[in-house]
Amino acid sequence: DKIKQGLKKTSDAVNHSLDSVFAAFVKVDDDLLEELEEALILSDVGASTAAKIVAEVEKRAKLRKTTTADELRDLLREVLTDNMLDNQPLNTDGKPAVILVIGVNGVGKTTSIGKLAARYVNEGKKVMLSAADTFRAAAADQLEIWAKRAGADIVRHGEGADPAAVVFDSISAAKARGSDIIIVDTAGRLHNKANLMNELAKIDRVISRELPDASRETLLVLDATTGQNAVHQAEEFNKAAELTGIILTKLDGTAKGGIVIAISAGLGVPVKLVGVGEGIDDLIDFDRAAFLEAILP
Ligand code: GDP
């Protein structure tokens, strides 16, 4: 029930705004649909996604001749389910699998990598961390602390080193030690889209050459407490990198969890993992049904 706990603030807020719509229900008309749209926007679903969801609710309500608040609630849950991507666990088949992690400073990138490493170590896997965020010296130091805590190996170079060279050495070390998973911490900043694309392309070439058959993930870490700003970051990064998923952190600290819908239904990138606390086991697989159950019981 970690997801339920982590979503407490969000579910309280979303329940509150949707309940007032259902409580005022008389029939499905323009006023009601407008209120529903407003409630979704209030819940950080985002204006364009809210409009899309409500248009679909309207269409299906007409077809089904929806006449009660309960039917409308079920219909909304159904439309949200159909518009959000299904659960997609990380693909770590093959050996070693490579997980690239990108995101701006402060979003919880290092913490999430540490938690992920700990999880795989607990599953009996051998994990190699690759400190390819060579932009800040402190980044590799932080990652090293997490490597120790999680029981993972780490490869690091000095500050300002070539990230692709770090990745190359990490792959060699992973092959030598028989690692199952390499998790790469990249600088992955977006201050300059061309720079980010070049950096990721260079890393990509090294991985493709050294591990042509490896399972790959490119995960963007977003801070849920920043609400629509996180959605905006997702849009920008999605143009610069081939994202396979999102890690949404700090869900426990915010009522803005509705951005999961904006990202999944609006942007079409799956939220794969959510951070629900600062502890080492507070990173869990995202579950669409559990999420919708929490916000629309
Ligand atoms: P980075 O700069 O992106 O590497 O960010 P850090 O990993 O250093 O995390 C920044 C802060 O966010 C730290 O204080 C973390 O403990 C905190 N943090 C990360 N994930 C979560 C989460 O899911 N929930 C909470 N409450 N705090 C988190």
Side-chain angles (χ1 to χ4, degrees):
D1 270 38
K2 268 199 174 230
I3 191 151
K4 210 169 169 187
Q5 266 171 36
L7 277 165
K8 177 91 177 65
K9 289 184 181 167
T10 295
S11 52
D12 284 353
V14 179
N15 289 343
H16 181 77
S17 44
L18 288 178
D19 278 350
S20 57
V21 176
F22 297 127
F25 183 92
V26 182
K27 61 179 192 305
V28 180
D29 58 9
D30 286 351
D31 281 349
L32 178 96
L33 291 167
E34 205 169 293
E35 275 172 40
L36 182 60
E37 190 168 333
E38 271 168 32
L40 290 173
I41 292 170
L42 254 179
S43 306
D44 291 278
V45 170
S48 60
T49 307
K52 180 171 134 186
I53 299 291
V54 170
E56 188 62 29
V57 168
E58 181 178 18
K59 202 169 98 190
R60 294 192 200 182
K62 271 195 186 124
L63 278 170
R64 314 241 185 107
K65 304 188 170 43
T66 298
T67 53
T68 70
D70 281 346
E71 284 171 4
L72 182 67
R73 182 186 278 273
D74 290 345
L75 190 53
L76 178 60
R77 198 187 293 113
E78 179 192 300
V79 169
L80 287 170
T81 304
D82 291 349
N83 278 274
M84 287 172 70
L85 297 168
D86 203 354
N87 302 340
Q88 295 184 38
L90 295 188
N91 180 6
T92 54
D93 298 344
K95 191 173 167 169
V98 183
I99 303 173
L100 278 183
V101 187
I102 63 179
V104 305
N105 286 342
V107 291
K109 187 160 59 92
T110 316
T111 307
S112 298
I113 291 171
K115 290 169 174 173
L116 199 55
R119 179 212 280 215
Y120 287 127
V121 169
N122 284 338
E123 288 174 8
K125 295 195 162 125
K126 243 176 122 90
V127 179
M128 172 70 64
L129 299 186
S130 177
D133 181 353
T134 58
F135 194 73
R136 298 175 298 160
D141 292 342
Q142 278 301 111
L143 199 67
E144 190 150 7
I145 293 170
W146 272 105
K148 286 212 179 85
R149 199 177 290 165
D153 295 317
I154 182 168
V155 167
R156 59 179 295 186
H157 290 187
E159 187 178 351
D162 178 1
V166 179
V167 172
F168 180 87
D169 282 356
S170 308
I171 293 172
S172 305
K175 283 179 179 170
R177 293 183 206 182
S179 310
D180 298 290
I181 297 169
I182 306 173
I183 308 178
V184 184
D185 182 20
T186 68
R189 279 168 194 86
L190 201 62
H191 63 283
N192 180 332
K193 194 166 135 190
N195 274 355
L196 173 68
M197 291 170 85
N198 285 339
E199 180 185 320
L200 293 177
K202 208 169 159 193
I203 291 174
D204 184 69
R205 279 197 296 277
V206 170
I207 301 171
S208 302
R209 196 178 59 224
E210 301 302 316
L211 293 169
D213 302 320
S215 297
R216 300 273 300 272
E217 292 276 356
T218 300
L219 304 177
L220 172 66
V221 184
L222 296 171
D223 177 345
T225 64
T226 63
Q228 290 305 307
N229 188 32
V231 178
H232 180 67
Q233 274 176 27
E235 287 164 358
E236 291 304 307
F237 272 99
N238 198 36
K239 287 181 208 154
E242 280 182 46
L243 301 178
T244 61
I246 303 276
I247 300 179
L248 191 63
T249 64
K250 310 184 198 178
L251 211 50
D252 53 306
T254 183
K256 298 179 192 292
I259 63 168
V260 168
I261 299 168
I263 293 165
S264 181
L267 202 61
V269 181
V271 174
K272 293 196 170 176
L273 296 160
V274 291
V276 293
E278 294 189 274
I280 199 159
D281 55 356
D282 288 329
L283 185 75
I284 57 178
D285 286 337
F286 177 72
D287 184 89
R288 180 179 61 182
F291 172 82
L292 289 174
E293 178 58 34
I295 65 162
L296 258 179

